[in-house]
């Protein structure tokens, strides 16, 4: 059966996801080359400095590229970076048509690759599976347009909206499959963040633990306004190639030196009402090429991030459990909005069963006011 343009682009999307979390400061991209209704070349961008997806696909296709159709999730680049322009490579290969998922969101290059292809006589069709392609590069778009990382807030709650019992017991709200999913996500982000309250309560490792693969540990970020981080914290004592960054407002030279000797990096940030200025911290992470930031807790930090319009995506694992009672253990702390008309809406909702839990994922609409 003849495949559709959408099916070929789906395959390109699958390829692109192989590089997800590894390509910063570049976006993940996948490409497929089709000749006589057969895939003759495919590729994805593995990491910055390596060839782009189109180049790998062209290499695999070889002479079969001439007169072929190319499917690529993102507009081919037209500028010289660490590698040559992909638009030029496609033109030189003599491809016939190029199907593009989405245009490059970078205002300095947007549309130029498409225009260069068209000027060379190559037919270009834009918008194949555009929504899926747009979601794929959402972290890159956030990073390139604002200089800050795309932030995913991950949390788990019971069916009645609780994140812990009245005594504070929260292990484990979600099931085993959901926890594995979180570690797979950690492997695909550049940084993971918690507040000092989570560190003091749980003493987490904040590493990546996958059963049959070598997971990559992301940069660990602890928001610790008053510099209460214990030098003996487990995350500082583990063997890991990743660094722990402690964001604080306190310039205590003795404590900073002790934490540095324990292997941590300390970043002194401006203070807003005695707390770390999150806007400053997010910009600093952007300077470190953090495209995807996983915010894991707790509710106080999450509430502050939501109020500061810094959360881009919500991932809520809903467990089929009931805790009951009237304890205040929601996923966001703080005052919140006073009117439902000011509630923060979510878009592009996706629902998925993960083991016994239901995973709800949605994009936060940034224009809303809390």
């Amino acid at each position: 059966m003849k495949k559709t343009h959408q099916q070929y682009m789906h395959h390109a999307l699958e390829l692109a996801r192989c590089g997800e979390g590894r390509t910063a400061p570049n976006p993940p991209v996948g490409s497929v080359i089709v000749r006589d209704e057969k895939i003759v070349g495919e590729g994805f961008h593995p990491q910055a400095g390596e060839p782009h997806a189109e180049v790998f696909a062209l290499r695999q296709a070889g002479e079969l590229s001439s007169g072929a159709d190319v499917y690529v999730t993102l507009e081919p680049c037209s500028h010289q970076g660490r590698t040559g322009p992909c638009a030029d490579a496609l033109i030189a290969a003599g491809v016939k048509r190029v199907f593009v998922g989405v245009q490059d969101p970078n205002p300095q290059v947007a549309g130029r690759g498409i225009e260069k292809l068209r000027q060379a006589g190559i037919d270009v069709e834009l918008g194949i599976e555009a929504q899926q392609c747009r979601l794929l590069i959402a972290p890159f778009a956030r990073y390139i347009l604002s200089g800050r990382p795309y932030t995913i807030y991950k949390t788990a709650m019971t069916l009645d909206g609780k994140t812990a019992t009245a005594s504070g017991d929260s292990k484990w709200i979600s099931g085993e499959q959901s926890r594995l999913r979180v570690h797979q996500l950690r492997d695909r982000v550049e940084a993971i963040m918690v507040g000092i309250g989570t560190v003091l309560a749980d003493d987490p490792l904040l590493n990546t633990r996958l059963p049959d693969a070598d997971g990559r540990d992301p940069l660990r970020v602890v928001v610790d306004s008053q510099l209460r981080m214990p030098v003996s914290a487990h995350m500082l004592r583990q063997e890991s190639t990743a660094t722990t960054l402690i964001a604080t407002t306190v310039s205590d030279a003795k404590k900073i030196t002790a934490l540095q000797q324990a292997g941590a990096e300390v970043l002194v940030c401006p203070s807003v009402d005695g707390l770390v200025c999150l806007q400053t911290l997010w910009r600093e992470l952007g300077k470190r090429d953090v495209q995807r930031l996983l915010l894991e807790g707790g509710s106080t930090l999450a509430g502050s991030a939501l109020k500061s319009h810094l959360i881009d995506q919500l991932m809520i694992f809903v467990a089929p459990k009931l805790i009951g009672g009237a304890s205040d253990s929601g996923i966001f702390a703080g005052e919140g909005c006073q009117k439902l008309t000011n509630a923060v809406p979510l878009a592009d909702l996706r629902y998925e069963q993960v083991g016994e839990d239901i995973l709800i994922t949605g994009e936060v609409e940034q224009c809303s006011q809390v």
Side-chain angles (χ1 to χ4, degrees):
M1 182 181 295
K2 183 178 180 179
K3 288 187 176 181
T4 65
H5 296 316
Q6 288 74 20
Q7 287 174 312
Y8 286 126
M9 189 62 80
H10 278 158
H11 187 54
L13 282 162
E14 291 173 358
L15 290 167
R17 293 186 183 107
C18 294
E20 203 169 28
R22 301 293 196 273
T23 62
N26 298 336
V29 181
S31 181
V32 173
I33 298 179
V34 178
R35 176 79 178 267
D36 299 327
E37 300 181 12
K38 293 182 180 179
I39 294 177
V40 295
E42 60 182 41
F44 67 92
H45 182 44
Q47 63 182 23
E50 292 290 319
H52 292 180
E54 300 94 317
V55 173
F56 280 113
L58 287 169
R59 286 177 181 176
Q60 190 178 102
E63 293 181 356
L64 293 176
S65 300
S66 179
D69 291 338
V70 179
Y71 295 82
V72 59
T73 56
L74 180 67
E75 174 185 4
C77 63
S78 60
H79 60 285
Q80 179 71 45
R82 297 186 190 180
T83 59
C86 291
D88 289 355
L90 293 171
I91 293 168
V95 304
K96 181 181 180 181
R97 297 185 297 182
V98 178
F99 297 90
V100 177
V102 289
Q103 184 174 282
D104 194 318
N106 188 341
Q108 296 181 347
V109 298
R112 294 184 181 179
I114 292 173
E115 182 60 27
K116 180 177 282 192
L117 293 171
R118 286 173 173 163
Q119 287 180 354
I122 297 173
D123 291 335
V124 180
E125 184 173 336
L126 176 65
I128 306 296
E129 291 301 301
Q131 181 59 17
Q132 290 300 314
C133 293
R134 193 172 293 111
L135 285 173
L136 174 69
I137 66 157
F140 172 72
R142 171 62 61 201
Y143 166 81
I144 205 72
L145 295 174
S146 70
R148 69 166 179 82
Y150 179 90
T151 304
I152 306 164
Y153 176 39
K154 183 280 303 179
T155 189
M157 69 180 187
T158 60
L159 200 57
D160 56 344
K162 302 297 195 307
T163 59
T165 66
S167 66
D169 183 20
S170 62
K171 292 188 176 180
W172 296 98
I173 293 288
S174 57
E176 184 177 349
Q177 289 300 311
S178 295
R179 297 196 295 275
L180 173 60
R181 183 67 169 270
V182 171
H183 282 277
Q184 292 170 339
L185 179 58
R186 287 181 179 183
D187 182 53
R188 294 292 175 182
V189 299
E190 287 82 28
I192 180 173
M193 179 184 290
V194 296
I196 186 60
T198 297
V199 175
L200 296 176
D202 300 334
D203 197 13
L205 289 169
L206 296 186
N207 60 5
T208 300
R209 302 184 294 278
L210 297 175
D212 300 314
D214 294 327
R216 182 193 64 175
D217 289 346
L219 169 70
R220 295 175 289 273
V221 184
V222 179
V223 181
D224 180 12
S225 297
Q226 302 308 314
L227 205 56
R228 295 184 290 159
M229 181 75 174
V231 177
S232 60
H234 277 157
M235 71 176 71
L236 299 179
R237 299 166 61 191
Q238 66 181 314
E239 291 186 8
S240 175
T241 56
T243 304
T244 297
L245 175 66
I246 302 169
T248 185
T249 65
V250 176
S251 300
D252 184 333
K254 184 176 180 181
K255 181 64 179 290
I256 289 175
T257 298
L259 288 168
Q260 289 172 336
Q261 290 175 344
E265 180 183 353
V266 179
L267 176 68
V268 180
C269 299
S271 170
V272 177
D273 297 327
L275 302 175
V276 167
C277 175
L278 297 185
Q279 297 283 358
T280 298
L281 176 56
W282 258 246
R283 286 194 296 270
E284 175 62 29
L285 294 175
K287 292 176 183 177
R288 296 170 184 238
D289 288 339
V290 174
Q291 268 190 28
R292 294 180 14 133
L293 168 65
L294 179 59
L295 180 59
E296 287 210 10
S299 62
T300 300
L301 177 58
S304 297
L306 182 68
K307 186 176 182 179
S308 299
H309 308 289
L310 292 171
I311 295 178
D312 298 287
Q313 185 183 91
L314 215 60
M315 293 182 66
I316 304 177
F317 292 90
V318 182
K321 303 172 183 176
L322 300 173
I323 289 178
S327 60
D328 184 14
S329 58
I331 63 175
F332 293 107
E335 187 175 280
C337 64
Q338 298 299 308
K339 296 181 179 180
L340 281 175
T341 53
N342 291 330
V344 178
L346 298 181
D348 299 317
L349 288 176
R350 285 94 74 194
Y351 307 91
E352 178 185 353
Q353 183 146 1
V354 182
E356 61 187 17
D357 304 324
I358 300 297
L359 171 59
I360 302 173
T361 305
E363 310 304 305
V364 178
E365 295 191 2
Q366 295 294 326
C367 60
S368 303
Q369 298 296 317
V370 177

